[in-house]
Amino acid sequence: MSLAIEGNRHGRASGSGGIDADRIFHGVTFGAAAIVLAVLIGVFISLLVGAWPALRTFGLGFFVTESWNPVTEKFGALAPLYGTLVTSLIAMLIAVPVGLGIAIFLTETCPRPLRRPIGIAIELLAGIPSIIYGIWGLFVFAPFMQTVVQPAIISTLGAIPGIGFLFFGPPYGIGLLTSGLILAMMIVPFIASTAREVFLTVPSVLREAAFGMGMTRWEVNRSIIIPYVRSALVGGTMLALGRALGETMAVTFVIGNAHRIPSSILSPGTTISAAIANEFTEATAGIYTSSLIALGFVLFVITFAVLSAAQLMLRQMKKKAGE
């Protein structure tokens, strides 16, 4: 009898300790999440406060004005905003299909002895500092673009009615297209690595059942594997897009840093991050510094909007799938 009573007391004590540990665990994890939210709100407020003098001076015209003249203190965000969106679009159009193709090859068709070496090589590419990409782009890739690629593009695509203006002009070597290609090289390893890892989470029984029904590899990947991991793929792609939007050094080296909106993607331009990196040390006037901070605020809002749009897209995809 005494042993039973002692066991009950011990059980209550253990249960109480478990409840306390659970409360502590809940408090720690909630605190970690609250810190992230507080940092996000703090960054937003600090950027808004720093950008407010420029936003108050120029109003909504700051977002639709191309002029950027520190001498007359006339600033507009349209040119770097255009360059940021165009270079990121070029990078994603190239990197997403290439990255997914690499991931599918590694998980489905690559010989087993080669899977690990190729996977390690892709992960090493993801770890190369961005300034290395920039130096290589300026001294190796840009001359190649100027002498080989851009003349071929101008003579072929530049002669097509309707879209020829996008590929028209002298072959500078540097410019929006070169920056977009460098960004694509930088984010392909991220997309490929993420897609490869999530493809490996697909249960083997799904593949075997699909092949047993007579599906080809293309049909299995299109109808079974990619729909099964679509949420993770979208998340990985959005992370890669976030890096493309905010990349600084590599783009600064090869974009040309011209505050104008070029009609051709072969011409020099600028991005938000490149403009901030180039001019922040030269910003002495208050409105000049505030305008650069306003550019950072614009980039913050763009990134937040992209991530929000990705979440909405995932919700719509889940609704259509009946989840």
Side-chain angles (χ1 to χ4, degrees), residues 103-251:
I104 292 173
F105 171 75
L106 290 176
T107 56
E108 300 297 327
T109 62
C110 181
R112 288 192 177 275
L114 296 179
R115 291 184 180 182
R116 185 172 180 81
I118 296 177
I120 293 174
I122 292 173
E123 293 174 359
L124 288 176
L125 285 175
I128 296 177
S130 60
I131 194 169
I132 303 300
Y133 281 103
I135 293 174
W136 175 81
L138 179 63
F139 292 106
V140 178
F141 190 65
F144 175 74
M145 291 287 293
Q146 184 180 23
T147 58
V148 178
V149 178
Q150 289 188 358
I153 292 176
I154 294 170
S155 61
T156 55
L157 298 179
I160 299 177
I163 64 171
F165 68 95
L166 293 174
F167 311 97
F168 184 77
Y172 293 103
I174 58 176
L176 297 177
L177 178 60
T178 304
S179 300
L181 293 175
I182 293 292
L183 284 177
M185 296 178 194
M186 296 179 64
I187 64 177
V188 158
F190 285 90
I191 297 176
S193 298
T194 303
R196 174 172 171 261
E197 293 299 325
V198 298
F199 285 159
L200 292 175
T201 64
V202 179
S204 300
V205 65
L206 294 180
R207 291 185 175 89
E208 295 170 359
F211 286 129
M213 294 177 63
M215 286 187 174
T216 62
R217 289 187 181 274
W218 161 249
E219 292 172 336
V220 170
N221 282 279
R222 183 190 62 182
S223 304
I224 304 297
I225 296 177
I226 292 179
Y228 187 86
V229 296
R230 63 182 180 274
S231 298
L233 288 179
V234 172
T237 302
M238 291 301 106
L239 288 176
L241 177 58
R243 178 171 187 185
L245 288 170
E247 179 54 44
T248 304
M249 295 310 300
V251 173

Side-chain angles (χ1 to χ4, degrees), residues 44 47-48 51-68 74-83 85 261 272 290-302:
F44 177 83
L47 286 175
L48 182 59
W52 182 248
L55 298 178
R56 182 180 55 192
T57 301
F58 303 114
L60 294 178
F62 178 78
F63 304 101
V64 296
T65 301
E66 181 181 354
S67 174
W68 187 274
K74 299 294 183 181
F75 302 102
L78 188 59
L81 177 60
Y82 173 83
L85 296 178
I261 300 177
I272 293 175
S290 180
S291 298
L292 291 175
I293 297 176
L295 288 181
F297 178 75
V298 171
L299 183 59
F300 182 90
V301 172
I302 291 174

Side-chain angles (χ1 to χ4, degrees), residues 232-300:
L233 288 179
V234 172
T237 302
M238 291 301 106
L239 288 176
L241 177 58
R243 178 171 187 185
L245 288 170
E247 179 54 44
T248 304
M249 295 310 300
V251 173
T252 304
F253 273 90
V254 297
I255 197 169
N257 302 305
H259 275 280
R260 58 188 179 87
I261 300 177
S263 59
S264 172
I265 62 174
L266 306 182
S267 300
T270 189
T271 64
I272 293 175
S273 55
I276 295 174
N278 277 322
E279 303 186 31
F280 206 87
T281 56
E282 302 174 2
T284 55
I287 196 66
Y288 193 0
T289 303
S290 180
S291 298
L292 291 175
I293 297 176
L295 288 181
F297 178 75
V298 171
L299 183 59
F300 182 90

